[in-house]
Amino acid sequence: WRTTLRYTTIGERFSDELGFIPRVGVNETYTQIWRSLRPRWLPRSIREIGPHWVMTQFNRADGHDLDQRQQDFHLSVQMSNGANFEPGMNTNVEVIRTPFTLNSARGASIQNGRYEYNEYFFQYRTNGASRLASSFRYGIGPFYGGYRHYYALGPEFRPNEKLNATLTVQINDISLPTTSYVSTLTTARVNYNFNTKMFLNALLQYSTDS
């Protein structure tokens, strides 16, 4: 069994100079329960299955009003060859108090209100220790009063102990009551280790939204 319980308070006047805190003036509760199983009836191709539940909830610090709650119901499957796959469902409840823009070029904005929606997904990743690996994720479900299809593909190339290169493409096909659009984010990363004291890390991202 693996269990985690974390409670974090972020004050209203907290100065997030580095930009890693998504919101202030909230109390965050994080809970995880994970069970790792290796029953004898599993085929030899499967090493372990791991059903788990994760909940992240944000409440306003000035009261008990809910800001956001996400629950993850996943089943992780580890293969004997180092690969893994995971189907699951993510349930979301979000209370929007200030309208925000998803895509300014398309005029896609989210208005005030309470939104409840579920995402259903499947992801697969080959053995990350091999020279050539890849990952894939597909998700569908309602999205802020509309609907979203999500695709992600990420090949990885590791020819030796010094060089590691990855390319990830994420596509969001979003349909909202007011507009529909496709958003693509491409990320390329290269790591090269000259020795134990010096390395090069290069990251390049391109988003069709901006």
Side-chain angles (χ1 to χ4, degrees):
W1 288 93
R2 282 184 282 170
T3 59
T4 304
L5 176 62
R6 183 179 68 242
Y7 185 81
T8 306
T9 296
I10 305 174
E12 190 72 46
R13 294 181 297 171
F14 177 74
S15 177
D16 178 29
E17 297 178 346
L18 294 179
F20 292 114
I21 304 299
R23 65 191 80 184
V24 296
V26 294
N27 298 322
E28 178 191 2
T29 304
Y30 176 87
T31 306
Q32 175 186 257
I33 300 177
W34 189 307
R35 175 63 166 158
S36 297
L37 301 170
R38 296 188 179 187
R40 294 184 176 180
W41 50 262
L42 282 178
R44 291 185 177 182
S45 59
I46 299 179
R47 178 182 301 167
E48 179 181 286
I49 56 177
H52 54 279
W53 168 73
V54 179
M55 185 191 73
T56 305
Q57 179 167 316
F58 292 90
N59 289 80
R60 302 304 304 174
D62 54 4
H64 300 287
D65 293 337
L66 176 68
D67 212 34
Q68 182 184 18
R69 178 173 61 243
Q70 179 175 345
Q71 298 187 78
D72 304 341
F73 301 91
H74 298 178
L75 177 63
S76 175
V77 180
Q78 301 291 329
M79 309 298 291
S80 298
N81 60 3
N84 65 81
F85 66 90
E86 184 172 315
M89 177 184 70
N90 301 324
T91 68
N92 299 275
V93 179
E94 193 165 354
V95 180
I96 304 300
R97 294 177 173 83
T98 303
F100 67 95
T101 301
L102 279 177
N103 189 308
S104 57
R106 295 285 186 169
S109 60
I110 305 300
Q111 302 302 314
N112 293 356
R114 180 186 175 98
Y115 297 89
E116 300 186 24
Y117 52 92
N118 299 331
E119 178 198 17
Y120 305 90
F121 77 93
F122 176 85
Q123 64 182 23
Y124 176 79
R125 177 181 172 83
T126 62
N127 184 7
S130 61
R131 291 188 175 183
L132 185 61
S134 63
S135 61
F136 171 79
R137 180 182 174 114
Y138 173 66
I140 58 173
F143 185 73
Y144 290 116
Y147 206 83
R148 181 180 74 152
H149 291 79
Y150 174 83
Y151 312 85
L153 179 63
E156 303 177 18
F157 182 55
R158 188 180 292 103
N160 51 52
E161 71 280 2
K162 293 182 178 293
L163 177 62
N164 180 17
T166 62
L167 177 66
T168 305
V169 179
Q170 302 177 47
I171 300 174
N172 283 282
D173 187 353
I174 298 175
S175 298
L176 297 174
T178 57
T179 186
S180 299
Y181 66 97
V182 176
S183 175
T184 304
L185 174 64
T186 304
T187 304
R189 182 188 295 272
V190 177
N191 293 280
Y192 188 84
N193 300 296
F194 296 95
N195 48 53
T196 58
K197 297 181 179 180
M198 189 167 119
F199 67 90
L200 172 68
N201 186 337
L203 173 68
L204 176 65
Q205 284 188 325
Y206 177 80
S207 170
T208 57
D209 290 350
S210 58

